[in-house]
Amino acid sequence: MNRLATDEKFVFVNEVGPRDGLQNQAAHVTPQDRIEFIQRLLDAGLAGVEVASFVNPKAVPQMAGAADIMSALRALIDDKQTQAQISVLVPNMYGYKAAQEAGAGIISVVPSATETMNQKNINMSLEETLATSCAILAQADKDGVRGQAYISVAFECPFEGPVGVQQVLTIAERLTQAGAKEIIIGDTIGAANPLQVKNLFAKLTDIYPPSFLSAHFHDTRAMGLANAYAALECGIRKFDSSVGGLGGCPFAPGAAGNLATEDLVAMLHQMGFTTGIDLNKLLSIATFAGTLIDRKIGGRMTAWFAQSSCQPAM
């Protein structure tokens, strides 16, 4: 994150395709294929990659083999073959301990902002979820592991509707006090609009430095890029995205998936920001990822790149 503090034109892009993008796919991608997927992303220059979830494989079989993936990547980190931030999701203390044993240096917890979403998603109350998340963050801090916290459905819940700004601020404060080193605001069902994004991040940046905050947008209603721009205007310089737009929330009917990494990077480069990412390699990776799940994927700009005689801005 040091570059964020020294280079105002640098935007940190955190690729979540190997975890968030694959966890709800019908196809089960082998750990070895997921490792190759991740290695290609690292080669393309991604500053961060969310690589796995240490969830019970009986609950999410698509995430089986998390320890094997983390161990393989740990070798790259130890040999200084990558400087990218490699993160994993942990749903509970058992998952945290498994991730730590596998060598994870960055872990994420993902509480939802509403009671019903927590109940439907993980069968826990909001209070139970927050207590568990805070306990994990406190333990990570004690262990020298970087703990970061998502706030899922931060704009709208598929069951309870719009989420109040104060609710998000209250949860963010609790997670921060527990030891979170970063708060990631998640538009989990892709329901936010740019005005909502600007309003929420304006409140958050009154309390926290922009470098402490990150954004995670879905493109369900075709506003992923517009929302990213609104966050940029508030000083946010770190974003999650998923190559090819992989992913989506099972509670959002017709969800188109995450904001596509190639769309985000193309917009950033055209606006004069830098990411360190080779966009041509990224487009190739989207094609590769499609072969892993046996369907064609791609962002909104993919067809234009394929037909245009212009090369994408690097």
Side-chain angles (χ1 to χ4, degrees):
M1 296 291 288
N2 290 339
R3 190 171 175 185
L4 284 175
T6 60
D7 183 354
E8 65 179 14
K9 299 302 288 183
F10 176 70
V11 176
F12 188 113
V13 178
N14 184 54
E15 171 63 44
V16 299
R19 197 283 300 176
D20 193 13
L22 293 179
Q23 70 174 4
N24 290 319
Q25 299 295 326
H28 291 196
V29 182
T30 68
Q32 190 55 49
D33 282 342
R34 282 148 62 198
I35 291 170
E36 182 179 352
F37 182 20
I38 295 161
Q39 289 175 325
R40 289 183 183 223
L41 291 165
L42 295 175
D43 180 63
L46 271 298
V49 183
E50 183 187 49
V51 300
S53 173
F54 280 81
V55 66
N56 188 330
K58 291 182 180 179
V60 187
Q62 293 91 333
M63 291 291 102
D68 294 335
I69 291 170
M70 192 63 241
S71 295
L73 296 172
R74 188 74 246 176
L76 297 179
I77 297 169
D78 292 343
D79 292 341
K80 302 189 186 306
Q81 295 181 44
T82 181
Q83 295 183 343
Q85 291 189 8
I86 304 297
S87 62
V88 300
L89 184 147
V90 296
N92 49 41
M93 190 61 75
Y94 178 85
Y96 168 74
K97 291 178 179 177
Q100 186 191 26
E101 289 174 2
I106 306 173
I107 62 93
S108 301
V109 295
V110 191
S112 295
T114 66
E115 177 70 27
T116 310
M117 186 66 175
N118 285 292
Q119 293 280 6
K120 295 284 188 179
N121 194 30
I122 56 175
N123 198 31
M124 292 172 65
S125 69
L126 173 57
E127 177 54 36
E128 289 172 324
T129 305
L130 284 175
T132 297
S133 296
C134 288
I136 292 170
L137 291 168
Q139 187 63 48
D141 194 40
K142 181 179 178 180
D143 294 338
V145 174
R146 177 183 169 85
Q148 49 194 35
Y150 283 81
I151 302 178
S152 181
V153 296
F155 297 94
E156 185 172 321
C157 171
F159 307 105
E160 297 186 21
V163 175
V165 169
Q166 187 55 52
Q167 173 77 346
V168 177
L169 297 180
T170 299
I171 292 173
E173 180 182 10
R174 186 164 171 185
L175 294 167
T176 301
Q177 290 179 345
K181 301 300 186 289
E182 180 178 311
I183 297 294
I184 305 107
I185 300 301
D187 179 23
T188 311
I189 63 170
N193 66 62
L195 182 59
Q196 288 175 301
V197 171
K198 185 175 181 178
N199 287 343
L200 178 55
F201 276 105
K203 295 288 187 182
L204 285 164
T205 52
D206 280 343
I207 303 169
Y208 308 103
S211 59
F212 183 73
L213 303 167
S214 180
H216 176 109
F217 295 118
H218 284 231
D219 206 28
T220 310
R221 303 181 191 180
M223 284 190 276
L225 280 178
N227 289 334
Y229 178 77
L232 278 168
E233 289 284 277
C234 293
I236 305 306
R237 294 294 182 268
K238 185 175 181 183
F239 296 87
D240 282 1
S241 57
S242 181
V243 68
L246 274 172
C249 176
F251 300 110
N258 290 280
L259 172 60
T261 306
E262 55 269 37
D263 288 349
L264 175 63
V265 172
M267 181 186 78
L268 291 170
H269 289 184
Q270 290 175 43
M271 290 176 64
F273 290 100
T274 61
T275 64
I277 296 170
D278 184 320
L279 188 48
N280 283 315
K281 287 184 178 180
L282 202 58
L283 294 168
S284 176
I285 294 168
T287 300
F288 170 76
T291 66
L292 295 180
I293 61 171
D294 197 28
R295 65 181 176 86
K296 187 176 181 180
I297 60 172
R300 296 182 184 277
M301 297 187 190
T302 301
W304 181 84
F305 284 136
Q307 308 247 350
S308 175
S309 59
C310 301
Q311 290 297 309
M314 305 307 294

